[in-house]
Amino acid sequence: MSLKCGIVGLPNVGKSTLFNCLSNAKAQSANFPFCTIEPNVGVITVPDDRLTKLVEMCNPKSTVPATVEIVDIAGLVKGASKGEGLGNKFLANIRETDAIIHVLRCFDDDNITHVDTTIDPVRDKEIIDYELQLKDLETVENRLQKTLKAAQSGGDKTAAMQVNVLKAYKEALEAGKPARSVTFDSKDEEKFARELFLLTAKPVLYVCNVDDSAAVDGNEYVERVRKAIEGEGSDLMIVAAKTESEIAELDTWEERQEFLEEIGLKESGVSRLIRAAYRLLDLQTYFTAGPDEVRAWTFIRGTKAPKAAGIIHTDFEKGFIRAEVIKYDDFVALGSETAVKEAGKMAVEGKEYVVNDGDIMHFRFNV
């Protein structure tokens, strides 16, 4: 399955710089608003030491890592929900993503202008939140108006359920809360809620873009953001995008690690961000491993074996018979699939098996 994250934020907060770090694409990064007019798209690999180890052990003909698609979306301004600036284009692009990476400027630099002249990441966050909430409120109110008529005609239980969902969203949005803050009790309500494709229902990772001095522990701006998102159900991480861009230009892994250690970091913000995006969507990885190919497959936590098999090919799910499962730690400790089998460590699982992160899978099927 493919994960698509949209990088958003006000102009000149470091979105394109971060995108360049993530994808090694060269999105224009300039000191003026809207330098990113069309969304830049980059496909990046998910760093995973387990995949590297499996490749060393299996020496396959090919290696396929898990990937994340990153979209750098043009900067938003006040009034976007009404079409100001690149508002309509921005909102259309963000609607197509699975998760939002919201970049906030948490550094001072007189050489980089801010659209509101002063640095205030909480205010910047609220601007975008407000515009997205307004657009969602418009969507909810339009749908509610139509659905109320069906519910009032009587006898339509589905319409009555939909009205309850829409009213719950309307109440939250009017109170300045995102749609993701609303929870529902039934599967029917949850299904209908997803079908609304509300912008503020998407999971959000707030990325505080700081300078070198705050790369490890953050700063006052970061703490203000942390306090502002309490209870919102979102994650926060600190990245020094300019520093990350300098690290990305270095030729060797050793040089990059040395640079990171100099500023007190164990790994790059890029690696941390990708993993955070995975956690945001409750994603995990299983592997297929052999002499021909070692490959990482992305699945949603809680997925059962037939559904996981279907990620490889729909026929695998349709004709699923069983799954042969090796735990990653057992494979590494024993050294080979043959050794795992001889030690009795290979499990044979049926349709109800819930796949675990790091499982090495082989599916048996018949179509």
Side-chain angles (χ1 to χ4, degrees):
M1 62 184 297
S2 177
L3 166 64
K4 188 173 185 179
C5 293
I7 299 181
V8 305
L10 292 179
N12 294 350
V13 297
K15 298 189 317 302
S16 295
T17 301
L18 182 60
F19 173 82
N20 289 340
C21 299
L22 287 165
S23 67
N24 290 326
K26 297 301 176 185
Q28 182 185 6
S29 181
N31 186 24
F32 57 90
F34 309 135
C35 65
T36 310
I37 302 300
E38 295 298 330
N40 293 272
V41 181
V43 177
I44 57 178
T45 59
V46 178
D48 195 324
D49 292 338
R50 298 171 302 181
L51 182 70
T52 304
K53 183 65 177 177
L54 290 175
V55 170
E56 289 176 0
M57 295 177 66
C58 297
N59 192 27
K61 295 175 183 176
S62 67
T63 304
V64 184
T67 60
V68 177
E69 188 173 309
I70 300 291
V71 184
D72 180 21
I73 300 172
L76 175 146
V77 295
K78 291 178 183 177
S81 59
K82 304 300 180 184
E84 293 295 327
L86 298 170
N88 291 328
K89 184 181 289 289
F90 173 96
L91 295 166
N93 290 332
I94 198 173
R95 198 178 296 277
E96 296 171 359
T97 63
D98 300 303
I100 299 170
I101 298 172
H102 187 161
V103 183
L104 296 167
R105 179 171 170 176
C106 294
F107 66 90
D108 295 304
D109 189 334
D110 293 337
N111 295 318
I112 302 177
T113 60
H114 190 288
V115 289
D116 284 326
T117 68
T118 58
I119 309 302
D120 186 343
V122 174
R123 175 203 59 206
D124 296 351
K125 168 194 175 304
E126 290 172 348
I127 288 172
I128 288 187
D129 285 351
Y130 181 70
E131 295 300 331
L132 298 183
Q133 287 165 11
L134 278 181
K135 198 66 180 179
D136 278 351
L137 188 57
E138 178 185 310
T139 299
V140 167
E141 288 179 335
N142 288 340
R143 186 66 179 267
L144 183 58
Q145 191 174 8
K146 297 175 183 177
T147 310
L148 273 172
K149 292 179 182 179
Q152 289 169 351
S153 63
D156 191 337
K157 293 183 179 179
T158 299
M161 175 273 293
Q162 293 177 349
V163 166
N164 289 336
V165 170
L166 292 164
K167 284 184 174 179
Y169 274 144
K170 186 173 186 292
E171 182 180 345
L173 292 164
E174 287 179 337
K177 298 177 181 178
R180 61 183 172 275
S181 67
V182 182
T183 57
F184 300 101
D185 297 326
S186 73
K187 290 184 178 180
D188 287 340
E189 289 176 325
E190 290 176 352
K191 183 175 183 292
F192 175 64
R194 287 194 300 271
E195 291 170 354
L196 294 172
F197 296 106
L198 298 181
L199 300 172
T200 63
K202 296 179 184 296
V204 176
L205 171 65
Y206 291 101
V207 176
C208 293
N209 185 17
V210 300
D211 55 25
D212 277 1
S213 64
V216 178
D217 299 318
N219 55 26
E220 182 185 345
Y221 292 134
V222 173
E223 292 311 308
R224 285 162 60 186
V225 173
R226 200 184 303 277
K227 186 175 181 180
I229 67 171
E230 285 180 358
E232 190 179 296
S234 301
D235 289 341
L236 177 148
M237 68 174 295
I238 302 167
V239 171
K242 185 178 179 182
T243 303
E244 293 287 336
S245 68
E246 294 170 0
I247 293 171
E249 294 295 327
L250 297 175
D251 294 328
T252 67
W253 180 86
E254 287 77 14
E255 287 178 311
R256 292 192 287 272
Q257 284 301 116
E258 187 176 340
F259 194 130
L260 286 168
E261 289 171 8
E262 285 179 4
I263 60 175
L265 294 174
K266 292 182 179 179
E267 64 175 342
S268 73
V270 168
S271 296
R272 290 185 289 115
L273 194 153
I274 297 167
R275 282 200 290 273
Y278 249 49
R279 290 196 302 272
L280 196 64
L281 288 173
D282 216 12
L283 298 178
Q284 296 182 325
T285 302
Y286 76 80
F287 301 98
T288 50
D292 290 328
E293 179 185 81
V294 170
R295 182 163 184 161
W297 302 90
T298 301
F299 67 98
I300 298 172
R301 183 194 300 270
T303 297
K304 293 183 178 180
K307 195 76 174 178
I311 295 170
I312 298 176
H313 196 285
T314 53
D315 284 349
F316 283 29
E317 181 176 2
K318 291 176 184 176
F320 179 87
I321 299 172
R322 65 180 183 271
E324 296 170 354
V325 185
I326 299 173
K327 297 303 178 185
Y328 170 81
D329 288 343
D330 289 337
F331 189 89
V332 172
L334 295 169
S336 70
E337 183 176 321
T338 301
V340 170
K341 288 180 179 178
E342 291 175 349
K345 293 288 188 177
M346 176 185 282
V348 177
E349 303 288 358
K351 293 182 178 181
E352 295 304 309
Y353 177 70
V354 177
V355 181
N356 292 303
D357 186 46
D359 279 353
I360 300 170
M361 311 286 292
H362 182 73
F363 299 105
R364 300 291 184 180
F365 69 103
N366 182 29
V367 176

